[in-house]
Amino acid sequence: MKVPAPPGGILQQNPFFVLDVLPEMLDLDLVYLRLDDAAGARPLELARVSADVNLSDDPAVLGRLVEGWLGQDSTSWSAPRRIALAHAELSIVPLRLGLEDRIGVLVVGSARKEFPAQTEQQLAEANRELQLRAGLLQSIPVAAWTAWPDGTPDFVSRSWLEYTGLSLEEVQSSPEAWMSAVHPEDRERASRCFRDSVRSGMGYTVELRFLRAEDETYRWHLNQAVPLNDAEGGLLRLVGTATDIQDLKEAQEQLRSTQAALAHVTRVMTVGELTASIAHEINQPLAGIITNASTCLRMLAADPPNVEGAQETARRTIRDGRRASDVITRLRALFSGEELAMSPVDLNEAAREVMALCVGEMNKNCVVMQADFADDLPTVPGDRTQLQQVILNLLLNASDAMSRVDDRPRHLIIRTDRGEGEHVRFTVQDVGVGIQPQTVARLFEPFYTTKPSGIGIGLSVCRSIIDGHGGRIWAEPNEGPGATFCVLLPLASEGSEIAPPPTGLPTRAAAVARPTGRTS
Amino acid sequence: MTGTIPIVAVVDDDQSVRESLPDLLREFGIAARVYASAADFLASDDVGTTSCVLLDVAMPGMTGPEMLRELRRRGEDVPVVFITGHEDESARPRLVEEGAVDCLFKPFSEAALLAALTAALEVADLRCSGGCPRVPFRLVE
């Protein structure tokens, strides 16, 4: 669809507005506007006159009067004049409008004695302000443009021209000349967005690749545009911006892979736990295999042999065997031989990073995370990655615990503060399904799980990590809905594998997780 | 073989156990019923007619030991044999102390299962000796 480009600038589209506000703004008694028509037709004349000066407010009549004062040729009007009227003395100032004065002329007048000195000052200030804004538009860190409904750019900010290496003349030479800066694969999409927007009168947001002249690489841009309409709703221009989001996109990609890596390390566990886990996971199908094999033998030994039954149990034996093999494959994938790397860890920073990694997951689950971090939190000696595993585990657990909560906001508070004694405390408070007092003690045991799909190792891994740091981890039900998981880490570096539990711990914990050592 | 056939309840969240054990039990000459969770068993009307429970220790929701305590709280003295995937001999005395007849570690042999069942069904038999008729039942070995 082609919409003819309206002639002239924005002033010509909305001259009434200017005329209505000017007299009041500048305390004027006379405003006469003459807009020249590019095609050479009769100029558009508009007038506003106050009662004080007793002049005609008919634009044509006033126009002839002004010509009498300033001369026939309006392009030569420049200097202010003082006009003696019957009841007042009127000072008038002609102002040329538009770039190269092509749009027309505005004549303003006032009977005030201080006019036009003060008004000129006001105009100068207004002009400075206008220039500042125009400069702002040129220098804001996004490219800005306006375009006619046919796609021809009207205004294009300097930043975009410099970025693409195109000149204003080039992009204005034809409706879609600017497309030469768009990646060939994106041109059809770009064109469609623009045309749809013109047709529907709705704005659009689209990601497109623009060629950066500097290094001749295509970089992703976020393009947003909105229609600019006149008072009657007719489309004047599309106004848009283009923002280089290439770095952001790359960072997001990196974040995603980091997140995947971090999600992987959350499954790392101590060798002892891994062994027990393998045993448990393998023993399940093995029980099936041995039972089925026993049944199979019995069925074959019967008189007459139950061949059909034996075949069925043999099939189940094979299936359980495959299952055992799958378990091995799965567990092997969990294995990662990372060393404990102790360094001073800023828990606020570590938690903030994990929260950033979780944002996607949390948004998906409609969980709102709120950080309540203590200022000047001292660092704790620890393995940053492992501590982040714990934090991630607790955050994801909390999110899971709220997955079926629909009657209240899924609010997650992540808090750091100085614990009692020489400790730093980290807590995660959710409003989820909560925990039963009788299960609190078992939450951190390996293979204990309340989730249908869990195998119950996440919190036990958390506990062994925190134990390894000489700290404590425990859970307690909230007074309201949900549960709070607390981690207490010592400031002093005594975090070895066999560090004794710190003394003087708070006793309010419903249950304090004890080291994983098995009872004998 | 005459008389009432004992009914054994298998309570385990693991599907392959629920599939394989009943067939073997039937080969022994025992009827079997399966339940995927403690709650399923407790909610059924079968508790009173069960001769013995083969009960998994670690299950989501109510665990085996918790179910055993619940049975005793209700005054049900049906004998219980635990089965567990955690090979931990030290757990056996604790579990037996809870009131279980025995504890089988997965994977358990046919012989171990038979021995535990025999012991459990003897208990079941004994507890009936006061009033109810003794079950003239012999396991098919």
Side-chain angles (χ1 to χ4, degrees), chain A residues 279-280 283-284 286-288 290-292 294-295 298-299 313 316 319-320 323 442 447 449 519, chain B residues 14 16 19-21 23-24 27-28 60 63 66 85-86 88 90 106-108 110 114 140-141:
Chain A
H280 179 259
N283 283 340
Q284 296 283 9
L286 279 185
I290 291 181
T291 306
N292 282 321
S294 303
T295 309
R298 280 177 175 265
M299 286 174 166
T313 51
R316 284 205 307 252
R319 188 203 57 193
D320 286 346
R323 206 181 122 198
R442 307 182 46 222
F447 320 116
T449 182
T519 51
Chain B
D14 187 71
S16 57
E19 282 178 5
S20 60
L21 257 187
D23 279 2
L24 186 58
E27 289 296 315
F28 290 163
T63 66
E66 281 166 5
H86 292 304
D88 185 357
S90 67
K106 294 178 190 173
F108 42 81
E110 187 185 300
L114 265 176
V140 184
E141 294 193 31

Side-chain angles (χ1 to χ4, degrees), chain A residues 11-318:
Chain A
L11 193 62
Q12 253 170 299
Q13 307 306 320
N14 262 321
F16 293 98
F17 170 75
V18 179
L19 245 61
D20 287 338
V21 296
L22 263 185
E24 200 177 329
M25 265 173 67
L26 301 176
D27 196 9
L28 301 173
D29 293 309
L30 176 148
V31 177
Y32 168 74
L33 177 67
R34 177 185 288 186
L35 296 173
D36 299 322
D37 190 285
R42 243 179 75 84
L44 174 69
E45 293 178 288
L46 296 164
R48 294 288 186 274
V49 174
S50 81
D52 297 349
V53 290
N54 196 22
L55 293 169
S56 167
D57 65 351
D58 179 282
V61 175
L62 192 66
R64 280 193 295 280
L65 198 58
V66 172
E67 277 175 14
W69 296 333
L70 296 169
Q72 287 287 322
D73 178 13
S74 67
T75 59
S76 68
W77 299 349
S78 56
R81 293 281 176 85
R82 275 184 110 70
I83 313 294
L85 298 176
H87 308 291
E89 188 162 87
L90 187 68
S91 298
I92 58 168
V93 179
L95 296 161
R96 299 299 313 176
L97 299 175
L99 287 168
E100 297 165 23
D101 304 341
R102 282 184 308 199
I103 289 175
V105 64
L106 177 72
V107 178
V108 296
S110 173
R112 283 183 292 119
K113 283 196 174 58
E114 61 274 27
F115 185 86
Q118 199 190 39
T119 306
E120 273 179 337
Q121 199 184 331
Q122 285 172 312
L123 281 173
E125 273 169 25
N127 198 29
R128 264 198 301 280
E129 180 66 20
L130 207 62
Q131 281 180 352
L132 182 67
R133 288 189 193 185
L136 272 179
L137 194 61
Q138 292 287 7
S139 56
I140 50 171
V142 297
W145 52 266
T146 64
W148 300 111
D150 75 342
T152 311
D154 171 37
F155 164 83
V156 180
S157 70
R158 208 161 45 227
S159 56
W160 195 85
L161 295 172
E162 279 168 7
Y163 191 96
T164 58
L166 297 172
S167 69
L168 188 60
E169 290 69 39
E170 279 175 279
V171 296
Q172 284 180 335
S173 63
S174 73
E176 294 200 340
W178 60 277
M179 282 283 186
S180 64
V182 179
H183 192 287
E185 287 173 16
D186 298 346
R187 285 179 192 168
E188 168 56 29
R189 206 149 40 94
S191 177
R192 198 173 54 239
C193 277
F194 193 94
R195 280 184 275 116
D196 287 352
S197 184
V198 168
R199 187 162 43 233
S200 67
M202 309 276 282
Y204 65 83
T205 299
V206 64
E207 290 185 5
L208 301 170
R209 281 163 290 181
F210 283 122
L211 185 66
R212 182 163 71 179
E214 182 187 310
D215 55 358
E216 295 197 322
T217 56
Y218 284 103
R219 292 171 65 84
W220 281 104
H221 281 67
L222 179 70
N223 297 269
Q224 292 177 293
V226 289
L228 180 69
N229 296 324
D230 61 22
E232 283 76 44
L235 181 64
L236 295 178
R237 303 277 202 294
L238 245 54
V239 180
T241 59
T243 315
D244 187 333
I245 54 166
Q246 182 71 30
D247 294 341
L248 193 70
K249 264 186 123 68
E250 282 169 11
Q252 271 176 344
E253 196 47 51
Q254 185 138 23
L255 204 62
R256 257 194 293 276
S257 62
T258 312
Q259 191 168 20
L262 202 59
H264 171 78
V265 287
T266 54
R267 300 183 200 155
V268 174
M269 57 191 105
T270 64
V271 174
E273 280 164 348
L274 190 68
T275 314
S277 179
I278 291 171
H280 179 259
E281 291 291 301
I282 296 295
N283 283 340
Q284 296 283 9
L286 279 185
I289 289 169
I290 291 181
T291 306
N292 282 321
S294 303
T295 309
C296 188
L297 281 178
R298 280 177 175 265
M299 286 174 166
L300 290 174
D303 186 23
N306 178 358
V307 176
E308 214 170 291
Q311 280 175 333
E312 176 54 33
T313 51
R315 265 194 287 275
R316 284 205 307 252
T317 309
I318 294 168

